[in-house]
Amino acid sequence: MTSQFQPARGRLNGSGPVAVVDIGSNSVRLVVYERKARTPTMLFNEKLLAGLGRGVAATGRMAEDSVSLALGELARFKALIEHTGCKELFIVATAAARDAENGPEFVREVERFLETPVRILDGNEEAYYSALGVIAGFWQPRGIVGDMGGGSLELVEIADKKPGLGATFPLGGLRLSEEAGGSIDEARQIAETALNGFDWPDLAPGERTFYAVGGTWRSLGRLHLIQNGYPLHVMHNYEIGAQEAIEFCRKIAVPNLEGIAKADVVSKQRRPLVPIGAVVLEQVLTAMKADRLVFSATGVREGLLHEKLSPEMQAQDPVIEAARELSTLRARSPAHADELIVWTDTLFKELAIEETANETRLRHAACLLSDIGWRAHPDYRGEQSLNIISNASFVGLDHASRAYLSAAVFYRHQGLREGALSPVILELFTDRLRIRAKVLGAILRVASLLSASMAGLLPKVGIAKTETGLALELGEDIANLDGERLRKRANQLGKVIRTPVEIRLV
């Protein structure tokens, strides 16, 4: 029987699904995105570790079994692309396809089968799109992006939302392992020699951030995260101090991660390459005199899609756009969320609460996310919202900012008792954001009672300073909204901001 509620497919309209097939030296991957957007959401993501780059340095050719494995996987990819209704398909190939003698033959077969041209990226292009992917995935990133694949390593500086000139090195995991004959010490020496020839950008202190892109380095980061009991298992924007990262890389640089605690969190196929990735990362961080290491889940594929956006879409804030999408899909009234932004702007101005530009954008995002859990049982709306926000595939914010967004919306539903908040979130907070999350949560609690979380009413509520504090003014047309429960919440808000807040009929 057909449901009367036809639109409930949980997806946003727009340009329609778009697919990227990424043919790397180690993996062949298909990613289907919901649509072209500032923060494209994955509909489907699958990879095969085909190892196309294995043996290329020694023989000059991709091994026939790897080629057959990759081409066989493309049959599945093609079926999935058709099934998901993709409107556009982009195919990129990197080091193995461009360096191997049989690369052109392989590319022609891919093009014949998928009926789409393959774009073979040279080293500079690969560096450019990796950097563009980091620009798409972070808030105003500055530093150096490194993308380590199976066949090559790309390094490129980023600043002012633009990639600089890139450089490519024959330091991919598969290639370096083969050149070093499996020796970790030899791999370290080769990496050190290769990187000594790089003209490292002269970065100011505080801007020496290294953004690590690529599956081998993400596996390394995940191992560090698990070993240290880090509370949030989100790799994007996971950060380690550079010296700690260097020491960790030295510790895990053993063949196949034998004897390394928690090594089972790394797939068996990745384990031989993670120690190679560790010696390269150690050399990079040392040579650039890095301050910190940050892992990126965005890279070439996201950079490629980012380039396809209009300048206006590229300039959008990724957190705001992702929060707006969730509001559109889940909130009772997305228009009410926009009213909350304007209303809290006014409140913060009247209360003279100073904000950085980053804090303002986070507050706006929290307003957009404030009602995404309303379909849950009332006792669990806060918890469900917190779980969705803390684990969402957001880009453009660090983990402390995730904690702020999660906590502000949790407080809005569950009340202001700090003891009820997840210890995971408390561990991620900065003290400043913890306090601001409670302030915003208290404001959102008042707003929800005033408006029933529906659009059209908040703009009618006046905000005025008084001799002792702040008044929320209800005109004659909305005077009936006054009540004991509303006054209690206003009083709670006053205690949090240490300024009396009253409900006034005007």
Side-chain angles (χ1 to χ4, degrees):
M1 185 176 182
T2 303
S3 170
Q4 61 177 316
F5 301 110
Q6 292 294 334
R9 60 176 185 148
R11 283 166 50 189
L12 294 167
N13 294 321
S15 59
V18 55
V20 178
V21 173
D22 184 354
I23 302 171
S25 297
N26 193 31
S27 65
V28 177
R29 185 186 293 267
L30 165 68
V31 184
V32 179
Y33 298 90
E34 179 184 34
R35 61 186 182 134
K36 288 181 183 176
R38 179 61 182 84
T39 54
T41 302
M42 289 184 187
L43 279 177
F44 186 79
N45 179 13
E46 181 172 294
K47 73 173 183 292
L48 170 72
L49 295 178
L52 287 169
R54 188 176 293 111
V56 171
T59 68
R61 295 178 62 84
M62 294 183 286
E64 292 304 323
D65 58 341
S66 295
V67 169
S68 296
L69 190 62
L71 291 176
E73 186 69 2
L74 292 181
R76 172 173 165 76
F77 285 1
K78 184 176 183 180
L80 289 166
I81 290 165
E82 292 172 351
H83 176 65
T84 52
C86 289
K87 305 300 183 185
E88 289 185 272
L89 168 62
F90 302 100
I91 310 174
V92 293
T94 52
R98 71 174 177 250
D99 295 341
E101 180 184 315
N102 56 341
E105 178 185 344
F106 169 73
V107 167
R108 283 195 297 271
E109 188 63 18
V110 172
E111 291 179 333
R112 182 192 68 78
F113 192 76
L114 293 181
E115 301 175 318
T116 301
V118 175
R119 182 173 178 184
I120 302 175
L121 303 180
D122 64 30
N124 287 332
E125 289 174 321
E126 197 171 349
Y128 172 81
Y129 284 113
S130 294
L132 205 58
V134 169
I135 288 168
F138 288 82
W139 175 246
Q140 298 178 343
R142 296 182 68 87
I144 293 177
V145 174
D147 185 350
M148 183 180 182
S152 62
L153 165 70
E154 281 70 41
L155 297 175
V156 58
E157 183 183 4
I158 50 172
D160 300 322
K161 299 183 180 180
K162 294 180 180 178
L165 294 176
T168 188
F169 303 85
L171 297 176
L174 289 173
R175 182 167 185 165
L176 180 57
S177 179
E178 291 175 358
E179 187 175 346
S183 167
I184 301 295
D185 289 338
E186 181 67 17
R188 180 181 287 109
Q189 184 61 50
I190 293 170
E192 182 179 6
T193 301
L195 292 169
N196 278 342
F198 184 49
D199 185 14
W200 292 95
D202 184 19
L203 301 174
E207 293 183 359
R208 293 173 185 155
T209 300
F210 183 69
Y211 297 91
V213 177
T216 297
W217 278 342
R218 282 195 298 273
S219 293
L220 181 153
R222 178 169 173 76
L223 179 59
H224 183 276
L225 179 150
I226 296 297
Q227 280 192 0
N228 286 272
Y230 188 75
L232 185 65
H233 292 185
V234 174
M235 281 313 305
H236 189 70
N237 224 320
Y238 179 58
E239 180 179 329
I240 314 173
Q243 191 55 45
E244 180 183 350
I246 289 169
E247 292 170 3
F248 178 72
C249 287
R250 290 170 179 164
K251 183 177 75 171
I252 68 166
V254 296
N256 212 38
L257 297 178
E258 290 293 339
I260 299 298
K262 309 291 185 181
D264 58 341
V265 304
V266 179
S267 71
K268 288 184 179 180
Q269 290 172 298
R270 287 278 189 198
R271 282 178 214 168
L273 295 181
V274 168
I276 300 297
V279 300
V280 174
L281 185 57
E282 174 198 345
Q283 295 305 314
V284 168
L285 295 175
T286 301
M288 71 171 280
K289 300 177 182 177
D291 298 317
R292 62 183 187 138
L293 164 66
V294 177
F295 293 91
S296 173
T298 56
V300 168
R301 293 179 296 276
E302 289 73 23
L304 186 74
L305 292 185
H306 190 75
E307 186 183 55
K308 306 294 181 184
L309 301 178
S310 67
E312 293 75 20
M313 292 182 74
Q314 289 180 356
Q316 291 172 341
D317 186 320
V319 172
I320 296 298
E321 293 310 306
R324 192 176 300 282
E325 286 186 355
L326 275 176
S327 177
T328 300
L329 289 168
R330 291 176 173 265
R332 268 172 284 204
S333 172
H336 168 70
D338 285 312
E339 291 177 355
L340 276 174
I341 290 174
V342 177
W343 202 65
T344 59
D345 280 346
T346 304
L347 266 174
F348 269 57
K349 181 179 179 180
E350 292 297 332
L351 292 168
I353 299 176
E354 293 184 0
E355 289 183 301
T356 64
N358 185 51
E359 288 164 350
T360 298
R361 65 190 281 266
L362 292 177
R363 173 170 55 81
H364 289 178
C367 289
L368 292 167
L369 295 167
S370 62
D371 198 40
I372 63 171
W374 76 275
R375 286 189 180 275
H377 185 282
D379 292 345
Y380 296 100
R381 286 173 183 166
E383 183 178 332
Q384 184 176 93
S385 299
L386 182 148
N387 288 334
I388 291 171
I389 295 166
S390 62
N391 293 289
S393 57
F394 287 140
V395 295
L397 77 170
D398 58 23
H399 289 189
S401 300
R402 281 181 181 269
Y404 166 85
L405 294 178
S406 302
V409 179
F410 178 86
Y411 287 139
R412 173 257 186 268
H413 289 288
Q414 300 298 119
L416 305 177
R417 290 185 303 108
E418 194 150 290
L421 189 62
S422 164
V424 169
I425 298 302
L426 288 171
E427 191 173 336
L428 296 172
F429 265 139
T430 62
D431 286 341
R432 181 178 171 96
L433 286 180
R434 176 181 57 80
I435 293 168
R436 285 166 180 271
K438 183 168 281 190
V439 169
L440 182 56
I443 291 171
L444 294 175
R445 286 176 64 75
V446 173
S448 69
L449 279 189
L450 279 168
S451 64
S453 298
M454 298 295 288
L457 202 144
L458 271 185
K460 299 179 181 180
V461 179
I463 300 171
K465 287 183 178 179
T466 68
E467 292 183 2
T468 58
L470 193 74
L472 302 179
E473 298 179 334
L474 308 183
E476 185 177 347
D477 59 333
I478 58 172
N480 287 340
L481 292 173
D482 189 19
E484 182 180 357
R485 194 163 181 229
L486 176 61
R487 288 178 179 266
K488 282 183 177 180
R489 286 206 179 171
N491 186 52
Q492 285 179 340
L493 171 59
K495 289 179 179 179
V496 171
I497 63 176
R498 299 181 181 178
T499 299
V501 178
E502 63 177 291
I503 304 297
R504 177 188 290 175
L505 302 182
V506 295

